Amino acid sequence: MSLRQQLRVPVGQDFDLSTVDPSSTPGLTGKKASSKWARKKLKAIGDGLSLFQEQLFATATVTGTRRRVVLLLQAMDCGGKDGTVKKVAGTMNPGGLSVVGFGKPTAEELRHDFLWRIRKAVPPPGQFAVFNRSQYEDVLIVRVHNLVPPEVWEGRYDQINAFEAELTAAGVTILKVMLHISRDEQKARLDKRLHDPTKYWKFDPADLQERGFWDDYQSAYNVALSRCSTEIAPWHVVPANHKWYRDWAVATLLHETLADLDLSYPPPSFDVHLERKRLAKA
Ligand code: AMP
Ligand code: MG
Protein backbone atom coordinates (compact mmCIF):
# COMPACT_ATOMS: atom_id res chain seq x y z
CA MET A 1 0.00 0.00 0.00
CA SER A 2 1.31 3.45 -0.83
CA LEU A 3 1.92 5.89 2.00
CA ARG A 4 -0.69 8.16 0.42
CA GLN A 5 -3.28 5.44 0.87
CA GLN A 6 -2.16 4.79 4.43
CA LEU A 7 -2.31 8.41 5.55
CA ARG A 8 -5.28 9.55 3.50
CA VAL A 9 -8.36 10.95 5.23
CA PRO A 10 -11.26 8.89 3.83
CA VAL A 11 -13.50 10.87 1.48
CA GLY A 12 -17.05 11.52 2.59
CA GLN A 13 -16.70 10.21 6.14
CA ASP A 14 -16.48 11.76 9.59
CA PHE A 15 -12.84 11.79 10.56
CA ASP A 16 -11.50 11.94 14.11
CA LEU A 17 -7.89 13.03 14.65
CA SER A 18 -7.84 11.38 18.08
CA THR A 19 -7.81 8.01 16.32
CA VAL A 20 -4.34 8.79 14.96
CA ASP A 21 -1.41 8.34 17.36
CA PRO A 22 0.93 11.33 16.80
CA SER A 23 3.90 9.14 17.81
CA SER A 24 3.11 6.35 15.37
CA THR A 25 5.19 5.74 12.25
CA PRO A 26 2.91 4.19 9.58
CA GLY A 27 4.89 2.68 6.74
CA LEU A 28 8.06 2.41 8.82
CA THR A 29 8.40 -0.72 10.95
CA GLY A 30 11.27 -2.68 12.48
CA LYS A 31 14.68 -1.16 11.87
CA LYS A 32 13.20 1.29 9.39
CA ALA A 33 11.34 2.95 12.25
CA SER A 34 14.43 4.86 13.32
CA SER A 35 15.84 8.29 12.92
CA LYS A 36 18.99 6.87 11.31
CA TRP A 37 17.17 4.95 8.58
CA ALA A 38 14.62 7.67 7.86
CA ARG A 39 17.19 10.47 7.67
CA LYS A 40 19.33 8.48 5.25
CA LYS A 41 16.34 7.63 3.10
CA LEU A 42 15.23 11.27 3.05
CA LYS A 43 18.40 12.17 1.17
CA ALA A 44 17.67 9.64 -1.58
CA ILE A 45 14.04 10.76 -1.83
CA GLY A 46 15.23 14.36 -2.07
CA ASP A 47 17.36 13.49 -5.12
CA GLY A 48 14.27 11.99 -6.73
CA LEU A 49 12.25 15.09 -5.91
CA SER A 50 14.70 17.45 -7.57
CA LEU A 51 14.74 15.26 -10.68
CA PHE A 52 10.94 15.35 -10.88
CA GLN A 53 10.98 19.06 -10.26
CA GLU A 54 13.39 19.64 -13.16
CA GLN A 55 11.27 17.47 -15.46
CA LEU A 56 8.16 19.39 -14.45
CA PHE A 57 9.88 22.67 -15.26
CA ALA A 58 11.41 21.43 -18.52
CA THR A 59 8.11 19.98 -19.74
CA ALA A 60 6.21 23.20 -19.02
CA THR A 61 8.93 25.23 -20.75
CA VAL A 62 8.96 23.12 -23.91
CA THR A 63 5.41 21.81 -24.29
CA GLY A 64 3.41 24.53 -22.60
CA THR A 65 1.63 22.11 -20.22
CA ARG A 66 -0.02 23.86 -17.28
CA ARG A 67 1.02 21.29 -14.68
CA ARG A 68 2.24 22.72 -11.33
CA VAL A 69 2.29 21.46 -7.79
CA VAL A 70 1.29 22.83 -4.40
CA LEU A 71 2.29 21.20 -1.12
CA LEU A 72 -0.11 22.61 1.46
CA LEU A 73 0.89 22.29 5.13
CA GLN A 74 -1.31 22.80 8.16
CA ALA A 75 -0.58 22.06 11.82
CA MET A 76 -1.17 23.21 15.36
CA ASP A 77 1.39 25.72 16.66
CA CYS A 78 4.79 24.00 16.97
CA GLY A 79 3.52 21.27 14.66
CA GLY A 80 6.69 21.46 12.59
CA LYS A 81 5.66 23.28 9.43
CA ASP A 82 8.84 25.35 9.29
CA GLY A 83 11.05 22.35 9.94
CA THR A 84 9.29 20.39 7.21
CA VAL A 85 9.75 23.22 4.74
CA LYS A 86 13.44 23.34 5.56
CA LYS A 87 14.00 19.59 5.34
CA VAL A 88 11.73 18.70 2.42
CA ALA A 89 11.69 21.82 0.26
CA GLY A 90 15.40 22.17 1.08
CA THR A 91 16.09 19.20 -1.18
CA MET A 92 14.65 21.00 -4.19
CA ASN A 93 15.91 23.58 -6.69
CA PRO A 94 15.09 27.04 -5.30
CA GLY A 95 14.69 28.39 -8.84
CA GLY A 96 11.47 26.48 -9.39
CA LEU A 97 10.15 26.78 -5.88
CA SER A 98 8.24 29.32 -3.83
CA VAL A 99 7.49 29.03 -0.13
CA VAL A 100 4.53 31.13 0.96
CA GLY A 101 3.46 31.67 4.56
CA PHE A 102 -0.09 32.77 5.35
CA GLY A 103 -0.25 34.62 8.64
CA LYS A 104 -2.78 36.99 10.10
CA PRO A 105 -4.34 38.74 7.09
CA THR A 106 -3.20 42.29 6.35
CA ALA A 107 -5.68 45.15 6.12
CA GLU A 108 -5.52 44.85 2.35
CA GLU A 109 -6.11 41.10 2.40
CA LEU A 110 -9.12 41.58 4.67
CA ARG A 111 -10.69 43.86 2.09
CA HIS A 112 -10.81 40.92 -0.34
CA ASP A 113 -12.38 37.49 -0.40
CA PHE A 114 -10.46 35.02 1.81
CA LEU A 115 -9.20 33.15 -1.26
CA TRP A 116 -7.73 36.26 -2.85
CA ARG A 117 -4.29 35.96 -1.26
CA ILE A 118 -4.23 32.20 -1.89
CA ARG A 119 -4.96 32.64 -5.62
CA LYS A 120 -2.07 35.07 -5.90
CA ALA A 121 0.29 32.44 -4.50
CA VAL A 122 -0.64 29.65 -6.91
CA PRO A 123 2.56 28.85 -8.83
CA PRO A 124 2.84 29.31 -12.61
CA PRO A 125 3.07 26.20 -14.85
CA GLY A 126 6.18 24.12 -14.24
CA GLN A 127 6.70 25.53 -10.78
CA PHE A 128 6.32 24.24 -7.29
CA ALA A 129 4.94 26.00 -4.20
CA VAL A 130 4.79 25.16 -0.53
CA PHE A 131 1.95 26.77 1.43
CA ASN A 132 2.87 27.23 5.08
CA ARG A 133 -0.73 27.56 6.36
CA SER A 134 -3.42 28.19 3.79
CA GLN A 135 -7.08 28.85 3.03
CA TYR A 136 -7.82 26.39 5.85
CA GLU A 137 -6.94 29.00 8.48
CA ASP A 138 -10.22 30.60 7.47
CA VAL A 139 -12.11 27.59 8.85
CA LEU A 140 -9.68 26.92 11.73
CA ILE A 141 -8.57 29.97 13.75
CA VAL A 142 -11.43 31.93 12.23
CA ARG A 143 -13.97 29.30 13.34
CA VAL A 144 -12.43 28.78 16.78
CA HIS A 145 -12.60 32.50 17.53
CA ASN A 146 -15.60 33.39 15.38
CA LEU A 147 -13.57 36.07 13.62
CA VAL A 148 -16.41 36.20 11.11
CA PRO A 149 -20.06 35.21 11.75
CA PRO A 150 -20.72 31.43 11.75
CA GLU A 151 -22.80 31.59 8.57
CA VAL A 152 -19.76 33.04 6.82
CA TRP A 153 -17.19 30.42 7.89
CA GLU A 154 -19.81 27.69 7.45
CA GLY A 155 -20.03 28.51 3.74
CA ARG A 156 -16.29 28.32 3.30
CA TYR A 157 -15.93 24.52 3.25
CA ASP A 158 -17.88 24.33 -0.01
CA GLN A 159 -16.05 27.39 -1.33
CA ILE A 160 -12.71 25.75 -0.59
CA ASN A 161 -13.77 22.50 -2.32
CA ALA A 162 -14.93 24.45 -5.37
CA PHE A 163 -11.69 26.44 -5.39
CA GLU A 164 -9.55 23.31 -5.22
CA ALA A 165 -11.59 21.71 -8.02
CA GLU A 166 -11.02 24.81 -10.13
CA LEU A 167 -7.26 24.71 -9.47
CA THR A 168 -7.10 21.01 -10.26
CA ALA A 169 -8.85 21.63 -13.58
CA ALA A 170 -6.24 24.30 -14.31
CA GLY A 171 -3.40 21.77 -13.95
CA VAL A 172 -2.55 22.30 -10.28
CA THR A 173 -1.77 19.16 -8.29
CA ILE A 174 -2.52 19.83 -4.62
CA LEU A 175 -1.01 17.69 -1.88
CA LYS A 176 -2.66 18.53 1.46
CA VAL A 177 -0.85 17.49 4.62
CA MET A 178 -1.77 18.01 8.25
CA LEU A 179 1.15 17.53 10.64
CA HIS A 180 -0.37 15.95 13.73
CA ILE A 181 1.34 16.44 17.11
CA SER A 182 0.08 15.67 20.60
CA ARG A 183 -0.76 18.25 23.23
CA ASP A 184 2.21 17.07 25.33
CA GLU A 185 4.56 17.39 22.38
CA GLN A 186 3.41 20.96 21.81
CA LYS A 187 4.19 21.74 25.44
CA ALA A 188 7.65 20.19 25.17
CA ARG A 189 8.40 22.24 22.06
CA LEU A 190 7.15 25.48 23.62
CA ASP A 191 9.27 24.70 26.67
CA LYS A 192 12.31 24.21 24.46
CA ARG A 193 11.71 27.58 22.84
CA LEU A 194 11.63 29.17 26.28
CA HIS A 195 14.88 27.57 27.40
CA ASP A 196 17.04 28.21 24.35
CA PRO A 197 18.08 31.79 23.56
CA THR A 198 18.49 30.78 19.91
CA LYS A 199 14.82 29.77 19.87
CA TYR A 200 13.31 32.77 21.69
CA TRP A 201 12.47 34.37 18.34
CA LYS A 202 10.19 31.45 17.57
CA PHE A 203 8.20 31.85 20.77
CA ASP A 204 4.99 33.80 20.52
CA PRO A 205 3.25 34.52 23.86
CA ALA A 206 -0.04 34.34 21.93
CA ASP A 207 0.65 30.64 21.31
CA LEU A 208 0.07 29.96 25.02
CA GLN A 209 -3.37 31.51 24.82
CA GLU A 210 -4.14 29.48 21.69
CA ARG A 211 -3.00 26.34 23.49
CA GLY A 212 -5.97 26.84 25.80
CA PHE A 213 -8.20 26.27 22.77
CA TRP A 214 -6.56 22.94 21.91
CA ASP A 215 -9.80 20.93 21.88
CA ASP A 216 -11.64 23.55 19.84
CA TYR A 217 -8.84 23.47 17.29
CA GLN A 218 -8.89 19.67 17.13
CA SER A 219 -12.65 19.79 16.51
CA ALA A 220 -12.22 22.45 13.84
CA TYR A 221 -9.55 20.30 12.21
CA ASN A 222 -11.85 17.27 12.30
CA VAL A 223 -14.56 19.19 10.44
CA ALA A 224 -12.14 20.61 7.86
CA LEU A 225 -10.47 17.24 7.25
CA SER A 226 -13.85 15.48 6.98
CA ARG A 227 -15.53 17.99 4.71
CA CYS A 228 -12.59 18.91 2.52
CA SER A 229 -10.95 15.54 1.88
CA THR A 230 -12.07 15.02 -1.71
CA GLU A 231 -11.14 12.61 -4.49
CA ILE A 232 -9.33 15.34 -6.38
CA ALA A 233 -7.59 16.84 -3.33
CA PRO A 234 -7.59 14.43 -0.39
CA TRP A 235 -6.17 15.32 3.02
CA HIS A 236 -3.34 13.34 4.59
CA VAL A 237 -2.56 13.22 8.30
CA VAL A 238 1.13 12.74 9.13
CA PRO A 239 1.90 11.73 12.72
CA ALA A 240 4.47 14.39 13.58
CA ASN A 241 5.76 13.85 17.12
CA HIS A 242 8.88 12.27 15.59
CA LYS A 243 10.54 14.81 13.33
CA TRP A 244 12.46 12.14 11.40
CA TYR A 245 9.20 10.35 10.60
CA ARG A 246 7.44 13.59 9.65
CA ASP A 247 10.15 14.61 7.18
CA TRP A 248 10.38 11.16 5.62
CA ALA A 249 6.59 10.90 5.37
CA VAL A 250 6.04 14.30 3.73
CA ALA A 251 8.90 13.71 1.29
CA THR A 252 7.49 10.27 0.47
CA LEU A 253 3.97 11.62 -0.05
CA LEU A 254 5.38 14.23 -2.39
CA HIS A 255 7.46 11.67 -4.25
CA GLU A 256 4.46 9.38 -4.73
CA THR A 257 2.38 12.33 -5.95
CA LEU A 258 5.00 13.43 -8.47
CA ALA A 259 5.61 9.85 -9.63
CA ASP A 260 1.91 9.71 -10.57
CA LEU A 261 2.33 12.62 -12.95
CA ASP A 262 4.40 10.46 -15.36
CA LEU A 263 7.01 13.17 -15.71
CA SER A 264 9.93 12.82 -18.08
CA TYR A 265 12.32 15.05 -19.98
CA PRO A 266 10.54 16.50 -23.01
CA PRO A 267 11.63 15.49 -26.51
CA PRO A 268 13.58 18.12 -28.44
CA SER A 269 11.56 20.74 -30.25
CA PHE A 270 14.32 20.97 -32.89
CA ASP A 271 16.24 18.62 -35.17
CA VAL A 272 19.13 17.44 -32.99
CA HIS A 273 21.30 16.21 -35.89
CA LEU A 274 20.81 19.38 -37.84
CA GLU A 275 21.70 21.52 -34.81
CA ARG A 276 24.84 19.44 -34.19
CA LYS A 277 25.93 20.04 -37.77
CA ARG A 278 25.22 23.75 -37.47
CA LEU A 279 27.19 23.91 -34.25
CA ALA A 280 30.19 22.16 -35.86
CA LYS A 281 30.32 24.94 -38.45
CA ALA A 282 29.54 27.76 -36.07
P1 AMP B 1 2.98 31.85 12.36
O1 AMP B 1 2.67 30.70 11.44
O2 AMP B 1 3.66 31.43 13.62
O3 AMP B 1 3.69 32.97 11.65
O4 AMP B 1 1.59 32.46 12.84
C1 AMP B 1 0.68 32.96 11.95
C2 AMP B 1 -0.61 33.22 12.71
O5 AMP B 1 -1.54 33.81 11.80
C3 AMP B 1 -1.24 31.96 13.26
O6 AMP B 1 -1.67 32.17 14.56
C4 AMP B 1 -2.41 31.76 12.33
O7 AMP B 1 -3.48 31.06 12.91
C5 AMP B 1 -2.77 33.19 11.99
N1 AMP B 1 -3.59 33.25 10.78
C6 AMP B 1 -3.30 32.68 9.58
N2 AMP B 1 -4.30 32.88 8.72
C7 AMP B 1 -5.25 33.59 9.37
C8 AMP B 1 -6.53 34.09 9.01
N3 AMP B 1 -7.03 33.90 7.78
N4 AMP B 1 -7.22 34.77 9.95
C9 AMP B 1 -6.69 34.96 11.17
N5 AMP B 1 -5.51 34.51 11.58
C10 AMP B 1 -4.79 33.83 10.70
MG1 MG C 1 3.76 30.83 15.57
Side-chain angles (χ1 to χ4, degrees):
M1 216 205 303
S2 69
L3 193 66
R4 270 189 305 171
Q5 284 169 307
Q6 287 184 69
L7 302 183
R8 174 173 299 197
V9 174
V11 175
Q13 292 175 31
D14 279 340
F15 182 76
D16 184 356
L17 265 179
S18 70
T19 61
V20 180
D21 175 359
S23 292
S24 61
T25 60
L28 293 186
T29 51
K31 83 172 199 314
K32 290 184 178 175
S34 69
S35 153
K36 195 170 163 214
W37 189 91
R39 289 281 180 227
K40 202 167 146 197
K41 189 77 185 169
L42 179 65
K43 268 208 156 93
I45 300 169
D47 290 344
L49 289 178
S50 17
L51 178 73
F52 281 146
Q53 188 197 8
E54 185 170 71
Q55 291 174 336
L56 181 73
F57 186 76
T59 305
T61 306
V62 173
T63 71
T65 120
R66 307 200 36 85
R67 179 61 53 204
R68 41 265 170 80
V69 180
V70 172
L71 168 63
L72 182 158
L73 296 175
Q74 282 290 154
M76 298 291 286
D77 290 326
C78 302
K81 297 185 302 307
D82 294 331
T84 305
V85 170
K86 201 161 134 188
K87 284 281 171 31
V88 178
T91 64
M92 302 178 85
N93 175 359
L97 175 74
S98 54
V99 179
V100 194
F102 295 100
K104 208 166 170 289
T106 62
E108 190 191 12
E109 287 170 348
L110 283 173
R111 278 199 295 275
H112 293 83
D113 173 71
F114 76 105
L115 294 171
W116 181 73
R117 63 178 183 165
I118 314 291
R119 282 182 193 281
K120 284 204 302 180
V122 173
Q127 300 259 336
F128 198 98
V130 182
F131 287 1
N132 186 335
R133 302 188 191 268
S134 65
Q135 61 269 29
Y136 286 94
E137 290 294 322
D138 287 276
V139 289
L140 292 166
I141 186 169
V142 169
R143 176 184 170 124
V144 167
H145 294 296
N146 270 315
L147 300 181
V148 299
E151 59 274 21
V152 174
W153 55 249
E154 176 56 41
R156 287 180 173 171
Y157 299 97
D158 290 344
Q159 288 168 26
I160 288 173
N161 287 340
F163 171 64
E164 292 177 1
E166 179 199 316
L167 290 187
T168 305
V172 184
T173 298
I174 313 165
L175 174 62
K176 301 191 293 198
V177 177
M178 193 258 170
L179 308 173
H180 177 45
I181 57 164
S182 64
R183 197 164 189 269
D184 287 347
E185 181 64 21
Q186 186 191 58
K187 187 166 196 169
R189 292 184 186 182
L190 285 168
D191 187 62
K192 213 165 164 194
R193 289 182 185 181
L194 281 176
H195 284 88
D196 178 351
T198 70
K199 295 251 160 70
Y200 289 165
W201 64 276
K202 280 191 173 188
F203 184 81
D204 181 350
D207 289 352
L208 289 188
Q209 194 192 322
E210 289 310 287
R211 182 172 159 75
F213 293 93
W214 180 272
D215 291 340
D216 294 338
Y217 271 104
Q218 297 287 298
S219 303
Y221 265 107
N222 283 337
V223 178
L225 295 170
S226 302
R227 291 185 63 175
C228 298
S229 195
T230 57
E231 289 297 345
I232 51 156
W235 267 106
H236 304 82
V237 172
V238 167
N241 274 4
H242 295 299
K243 294 176 181 174
W244 51 265
Y245 176 78
R246 172 199 79 196
D247 297 336
W248 171 83
V250 176
T252 300
L253 290 174
L254 200 48
H255 196 272
E256 289 178 358
T257 303
L258 293 172
D260 250 15
L261 299 181
D262 283 328
L263 295 165
S264 60
Y265 285 105
S269 58
F270 47 85
D271 181 331
V272 178
H273 291 288
L274 184 68
E275 295 304 317
R276 283 182 189 161
K277 276 191 208 153
R278 287 184 61 215
L279 174 64
K281 290 188 210 140

